[in-house]
Amino acid sequence: MTSKESCRNELRHAVRQLSERGLYSASKWAAELLVGIEPETPSSRPRTSGVTPLSSTMRHRFRAIAAAESPATSTPPAGVSYVCTPIPADDVDHDDYDSYLLAKSCFDCREYRRASHALRGQTGKKAVFLRCYALYMAGEKRKEEETIELEGPLGKSNSVNAELVTIERELSSLHRNGSIDSFGLYLYGIVLRDKGCGSQALSVLVESVNSYPWNWSAWTELLSLCTTLDTLEGLNLKNHWMKDFFLASAFLELKMYEESLETYKRLLTIFRLSDYIQAQVATVHYNLRELDEAEVIFEELLRTDPYRMESMDTYSNILYAKESFSTLSFLAHRVFLTDKYRPESCCIIANYYSLKGQHEKSVVYFRRALKLNRKYLSAWTLMGHEYVEMKNTPAAIDAYRRAIEINPRDYRAWYGLGQMYEMMGMMFYALYYYSKSAALQPNDARLWNAMAHCYESAPLGRIEEAIRCYKRSADCNDAEGIALHELARLYGELGQADQAAVYYKKDLDRMDAEERQGPNYVEALFFLAKYCKSVGRYEEAEHYATRLLDSTGPVCPCLIISCSILNQIARSSYILMELQISCFHCFNKIS
């Protein structure tokens, strides 16, 4: 049987089993992958260029690249010579099945305690999981109610799930006896994580995904515990094709974007029609600041699945960054009509109001998103940005801190805190937060520029450290060109004219390539003209001085005249003793 057929059969069983256990998010994820497998027979889904819709050009082009790298009928090199994992059979006795059906119906109706009570005394693995999971959900529901009743500023609360101790006692006993299945291990791992036993939760979740790899919820919980590359590499995972999905997501979380993109391209050889993979690829491009490529993929996703909500908040961030007002307005209107009480919908609408400059309304929708999902990281960070625009510094700091509590690897929240403390003139605090952000995102030039500005500021005055940061920013392809200009300026202030000329020349070449002019352009030409004149390179000096005539900005005519005359004298082999030119415009003497 081919790898595609194996994946298809495994996913069909997984959708059914996950749904029967109430793991609906994992079940939907598996179903999305199932329909993302391209049919084996060409007649079932036409693929020829003559019948391919024009709107799907970019998607098929991307998939064709992935297919060319690894043929669709073969096994990708990193992973689909996979181990065979047996699909567990149901263990509910016929006599107890009626009680299980009652419990499952109550669970679906969110009557969690009743569902747990209906399965009391049953010892089957399937029944034990649903009973403990229903009890866990009842505790989570009560915790949310207490949070709403006792919430402090920005929804802070010390409420905990009161059922954790009871569930842990039962599941730990079953784990010691070896009578727990993969779903019970998944729940046990969640309980241990909630109790702060991270290392133990990590080993239990690894055991769960190794015994039943199709539960994406277990992989997601495992991912939340892999905060470093060393932790990821230390996992003892079986070589199942689900491992590649996990690794691709882990690489994305750890900012290893190239590795993540390569893994998703390999997975496209089998799941060539998967919208999930396409959304993840677009997210990788977004994090690489390749906004045009990400926008094309998201536009295609909306054409094929117009009611999709997952990852559309990332798409709205792209539209916000590109200031695509009409497209963002259309997207906000669409999600409002589809499901206005989804956290993603509220975030998209909040971005729309923010782009319009209505920051108060934007905060209202970010707060609504957090009412629906208090661990919605993007909403906390973006709401902090909105408070910055509203000059509400304490609320902005609180929002950024909440984002860091949810995910300490969110470099945007660390950067936001640095901006807040810099605005308050507390440069040492700002430098600390900027350095944390740069450690998480070392290839972002903006972070190094921010650190350099702190080092350069009056309280610190550490110019050498500022220069090192600007050099690091220049190595990270500073798109705004701040680093090159600042390096040239600082070297000029230090009296190191040779180094200053090098960086002014680089900055000038960059602005020429981008066909940009402005104050920095005039400053670079002016400095290079004076520098070349001072070292006797009169032809270059005249070249830069002449270019100043064609630019906009304050230009001193005496420099152009002196460079031209000195160049002529040098070419005619006259002995140059001393030349002074009085400039009526600036009253300077130029030699």
Side-chain angles (χ1 to χ4, degrees), residues 396-416:
I397 291 176
D398 206 359
Y400 289 137
R401 291 192 184 279
R402 289 297 298 274
I404 292 171
E405 289 175 6
I406 296 171
N407 183 5
R409 295 190 60 81
D410 181 19
Y411 79 94
R412 295 179 179 87
W414 290 108
Y415 179 69

Side-chain angles (χ1 to χ4, degrees), residues 317-329:
N317 293 340
I318 294 171
L319 298 176
Y320 182 92
K322 297 184 69 174
E323 297 184 358
S324 301
F325 182 83
S326 59
T327 309
L328 182 56
S329 174

Side-chain angles (χ1 to χ4, degrees), residues 68-114:
E69 292 177 353
S70 180
T73 57
S74 64
T75 297
V80 207
S81 59
Y82 302 118
V83 296
C84 181
T85 304
I87 299 174
D90 294 340
D91 63 345
V92 179
D93 295 335
H94 180 73
D95 295 338
D96 296 330
Y97 193 66
D98 293 343
S99 298
Y100 185 86
L101 289 177
L102 172 61
K104 183 61 171 57
S105 300
C106 292
F107 185 92
D108 292 343
C109 293
R110 297 173 59 87
E111 299 179 14
Y112 299 123
R113 293 195 181 278
R114 188 180 179 191

Side-chain angles (χ1 to χ4, degrees), residues 8 38 112 127 245 316 381 432 547 551 572:
R8 185 178 289 110
E38 187 179 18
Y112 299 123
F245 280 99
S316 73
T381 305
Y432 168 77
R547 288 182 62 181
S551 65
S572 59

